[in-house]
Amino acid sequence: MSNINDYKGVFVFVQQVDGTAAGVAYELLGKGRELAGKLNAEVTVVLPGYKVGGLAAALARYGADRVILVDDPALETYMTEPYTRALTAVVNEFKPGILLCGATSIGRDLAPRVSARVRTGLTADCTALEIQEETGDLLMTRPAFGGNVMATIVCRERRPQMATVRPGVMRRLEPRAGASCPVVDFKVAGLAEGRNVEILEISKKVSAKLDIQEAKVLVAGGRGLGGPENFRLLEKLAEVLGGTLASSRACVDAGWCDKELQVGQTGKTVRPNLYIACGISGAIQHLAGMEEAEVIIAVNKDAGAPIFEVADYGVVGDVHKIVPQFIEQIKAAQAAKEQQDP
Amino acid sequence: MKIVVCIKQVPNTNKVKLDPATGTLLRKGIPSIINPDDKAGLEAALRLKDRHGAQVTALSMGPPQAEAALREALAMGADEAVLLTDRAFGGADTWATSSTLAAALKRLEHDLIITGRQAIDGDTAQVGPQIAEHLGLPNISYAEELRLESDHIVVKRQYEDRCHVIKAKLPCLVTALAELNKPRYMTPGGIFTAYAKPIRVWGRADLDVDEADIGLNGSPTRVFKSFDKQARGTGSKVEMDPQAAAAWLVERLQEKFIL
């Protein structure tokens, strides 16, 4: 490999589906700017796709100094090999010091392939990135063993330093109105050559019956709801947050909801990004199934309920009054954000 | 048809703690299992064998005691097993692990390679695609359904909110999700014959692989430091009118970038 000192700058892979960039790309741009600032370097976006040049302006507003566009019909729908070729060609030509990808299912399929092809290291699912002052190397911190252990990883002798980063952990910048940046139209030959994989069918996933162990957001109800009809309120809350319903054992035993939804020792162990416990007192058997959630919110009228001992944010009060307010204000916050977003 | 399934032996828990003195993992007293995604991959291979006839080889890299995982694979119905074990392989990151496994796969005939999506100890999901890259094969990640049709394989998998049905020519590599199936149990007969079947043990000298691509020295990434995740601190608790409480919660979610 060529001299690692030739590899400079922070590059961000932008994943897009049907011409819409994944949110994590903007988050990576925000982090990329911070890292580039420490290194006195530029932030370059790598944008593979077909007829996706229109995204460049928004990427500039969110912090890109340069966009490398690889526009090719072979890149219209994500497939491992054409995308690997495109990104590898960019790495070989432009020599990034750091290359960041979202830890989405596409990012976690693409990044390992590219890292193996360019013979460099890759750190998966990072939750923190920083520059080591003495060396200028990237320190990549990630959870392992189901999040019980954190490890900080370095890749000292090969470039680029590659990481996939979990969506939702980095902060996107306030957009810079009117910002623009140069767009490099980079042609890569032979992207579709030797294709031995073919997509037969693409369908939108129906998320209604999402397994609670797969859900990123869970809204769980307990005995404090008072009756099965009140689960409808939680269903609405789950809906606005793109989440799924769950429940305590009490509700399952009372026949208010399906056993499939039960969290806890005799139910399922869950580890969502957000767990909202509504009217759940928090018996030890329930806590065992959910205390690994990233963020826990509890709403309960009993200030002494054990659920508050594991909750990051607790509200003492009546679920039936607080949840409807919560739903309205989430909708308002989402509407405000949508106006601001590209 | 020859199928090779890569399996990893992992501690049967994700509640691992670090030894505060040495910073290494405390594994004492924790039983080991076949990594769940890998076990589903093995089951998928065995089902292809049941339906179409196939020779199924289980391949693992690890310390000598990883033999137990391979015995279990044999008892479930795998035909043969290969254990890659050598001090020279130790301390490998995903890059070095995948090049070691790829070197072994070059010695094993394969029409189809199945790995799990990710192991519950490392959670990287990198080794499968990296093996495929080292071997120059296509990979199809996150298989939820898998069937064989003459000389190709059809796989259903999820990408974000899309479901793709993909057809790939053999040979190729598929990474399996635990959701793919419910693995069979070992049978008493299977356990009996598992001990009659030999496990091939390969070390450094058995593989044609560059010294610079294996073990700790062949690993581009290093652990700089590791630490226990901080225990969940006591959170904040408020009691206010519903509207104010809801606003407070929305602000907290914005702080955490959830909204």
Side-chain angles (χ1 to χ4, degrees):
Chain A
M1 109 173 296
S2 43
N3 189 338
I4 67 168
N5 296 322
D6 297 342
Y7 286 72
K8 289 193 174 75
V10 179
F11 282 47
V12 171
F13 163 73
V14 172
Q15 170 191 330
Q16 52 75 34
V17 175
D18 295 344
T20 304
V24 66
Y26 296 104
E27 297 162 14
L28 293 180
L29 261 175
K31 189 67 190 183
R33 277 245 68 85
E34 179 198 316
L35 299 174
K38 297 254 167 67
L39 293 166
N40 206 4
E42 288 201 329
V43 179
T44 301
V45 151
V46 186
L47 176 60
Y50 183 48
K51 297 182 178 166
V52 292
L55 290 170
L59 294 165
R61 284 199 296 278
Y62 278 90
D65 294 313
R66 174 173 65 162
V67 172
I68 297 173
L69 176 67
V70 190
D71 209 69
D72 193 296
L75 301 173
E76 184 167 13
T77 301
Y78 175 79
M79 288 180 80
T80 311
E81 183 58 25
Y83 268 73
T84 303
R85 286 181 190 174
L87 199 50
T88 302
V90 169
V91 168
N92 290 336
E93 177 71 23
F94 296 92
K95 301 192 172 13
I98 291 171
L99 174 57
L100 307 178
C101 303
T104 58
S105 23
I106 287 176
R108 298 176 94 220
D109 181 64
L110 174 65
R113 259 330 291 201
V114 172
S115 74
R117 196 163 296 181
V118 304
R119 303 182 62 87
T120 191
L122 170 64
T123 305
D125 273 347
C126 297
T127 54
L129 297 172
E130 58 190 320
I131 300 293
Q132 187 181 26
E133 277 189 24
E134 310 85 81
T135 59
D137 287 340
L138 182 65
L139 300 180
M140 302 168 273
T141 299
R142 68 180 304 267
F145 288 94
N148 287 274
V149 174
M150 305 296 288
T152 301
I153 310 289
V154 285
C155 177
R156 296 217 186 273
E157 284 157 24
R158 302 211 203 164
R159 292 293 181 269
Q161 303 162 87
M162 286 184 66
T164 63
V165 178
R166 281 206 187 168
V169 297
M170 304 298 176
R171 188 192 288 267
R172 57 171 80 188
L173 299 172
E174 289 298 319
R176 304 177 292 185
S180 67
C181 74
V183 177
V184 180
D185 194 2
F186 185 58
K187 295 283 172 226
V188 182
L191 286 177
E193 262 167 36
R195 183 176 277 191
N196 38 19
V197 175
E198 175 189 346
I199 298 178
L200 298 179
E201 188 190 317
I202 298 181
S203 53
K204 274 233 173 187
K205 185 176 168 185
V206 187
S207 58
K209 280 287 253 180
L210 188 66
D211 188 307
I212 60 170
Q213 285 177 304
E214 295 287 312
K216 300 268 187 284
V217 175
L218 285 176
V219 179
R223 206 197 305 267
L225 285 182
E229 64 284 356
N230 293 323
F231 262 96
R232 237 170 269 148
L233 185 60
L234 300 194
E235 219 158 30
K236 280 190 200 145
L237 177 56
E239 203 180 295
V240 294
L241 289 168
T244 301
L245 267 190
S247 100
S248 71
R249 178 170 175 179
C251 302
V252 176
D253 287 352
W256 297 356
C257 63
D258 203 80
K259 168 96 178 144
E260 283 291 295
L261 303 186
Q262 187 191 324
V263 171
Q265 200 115 41
T266 54
K268 292 175 177 169
T269 300
V270 296
R271 198 175 176 280
N273 296 341
L274 175 63
Y275 190 90
I276 305 179
C278 301
I280 293 177
S281 63
I284 186 81
Q285 292 82 355
H286 185 76
L287 301 184
M290 47 66 79
E291 64 190 347
E292 294 294 323
E294 209 78 38
V295 174
I296 299 172
I297 288 177
V299 181
N300 201 299
K301 62 181 194 301
D302 174 10
I307 191 77
F308 287 122
E309 282 163 35
V310 301
D312 299 282
Y313 309 116
V315 173
V316 181
D318 185 349
V319 167
H320 309 94
K321 291 190 178 129
I322 290 163
V323 172
Q325 275 293 332
F326 193 25
I327 293 170
E328 287 316 309
Q329 297 200 28
I330 289 168
K331 281 187 187 164
Q334 285 168 335
K337 193 175 166 205
E338 206 146 289
Q339 286 225 308
Q340 198 190 67
D341 272 12
Chain B
M1 161 117 154
K2 311 257 190 199
I3 308 174
V4 181
V5 184
C6 298
I7 64 175
K8 182 179 186 184
Q9 190 182 49
V10 293
N12 183 19
T13 176
N14 53 20
K15 294 204 189 312
V16 175
K17 291 283 171 219
L18 292 178
D19 183 328
T22 62
T24 54
L25 291 165
L26 290 166
R27 290 182 188 249
K28 213 168 130 192
I30 299 173
S32 293
I33 53 166
I34 298 178
N35 179 56
D37 282 350
D38 305 354
K39 199 166 177 179
L42 176 61
E43 175 64 29
L46 295 173
R47 287 184 192 186
L48 290 174
K49 175 184 168 180
D50 293 344
R51 206 163 310 144
H52 308 278
Q55 160 101 359
V56 175
T57 303
L59 170 66
S60 189
M61 172 174 136
Q65 56 268 31
E67 183 192 325
L70 291 170
R71 287 280 171 218
E72 186 180 345
L74 291 170
M76 283 171 66
D79 299 290
E80 55 165 15
V82 178
L83 175 62
L84 309 180
T85 190
D86 196 308
R87 278 184 188 281
F89 302 151
D93 72 355
T94 65
W95 206 94
T97 300
S98 60
S99 36
T100 309
L101 286 164
L105 282 156
K106 283 178 189 157
R107 283 194 59 183
L108 297 166
E109 281 182 78
H110 53 263
D111 301 297
L112 175 64
I113 300 167
I114 304 179
T115 70
R117 166 194 46 179
Q118 66 191 41
I120 57 172
D121 52 357
D123 287 331
T124 71
Q126 288 173 189
V127 171
Q130 288 179 330
I131 291 173
E133 179 61 31
H134 292 307
L135 295 172
L137 296 178
N139 69 282
I140 303 171
S141 305
Y142 330 121
E144 285 181 355
E145 279 175 41
L146 180 155
R147 62 178 194 271
L148 188 69
E149 290 178 356
S150 60
D151 66 337
H152 58 263
I153 190 149
V154 176
V155 176
K156 190 174 142 191
R157 63 117 175 262
Q158 301 280 348
Y159 269 150
E160 267 67 74
D161 65 340
R162 303 295 156 91
C163 175
H164 288 189
V165 179
I166 289 186
K167 175 176 156 180
K169 269 196 203 129
L170 298 175
C172 73
L173 182 145
V174 171
T175 78
L177 298 191
E179 292 78 21
L180 182 61
N181 52 47
K182 195 170 182 298
R184 65 195 65 189
Y185 292 105
M186 300 180 280
T187 60
I191 294 167
F192 187 73
T193 52
Y195 281 90
K197 295 177 191 169
I199 290 181
R200 280 187 275 171
V201 180
W202 291 349
R204 172 72 192 91
D206 299 297
L207 300 184
D208 179 18
V209 60
D210 201 313
E211 200 61 37
D213 290 338
I214 60 166
L216 186 62
N217 288 332
S219 298
T221 63
R222 297 290 164 90
V223 177
F224 177 68
K225 61 176 178 188
S226 54
F227 47 99
D228 281 324
K229 193 177 177 182
Q230 283 171 327
R232 189 177 278 285
T234 318
S236 33
K237 186 166 69 175
V238 298
E239 192 164 1
M240 37 180 126
D241 74 77
Q243 196 168 355
W248 181 77
L249 286 175
V250 166
E251 278 167 33
R252 302 289 81 75
L253 292 184
Q254 285 168 331
E255 271 172 13
K256 293 278 180 189
F257 312 125
I258 293 171
L259 274 182

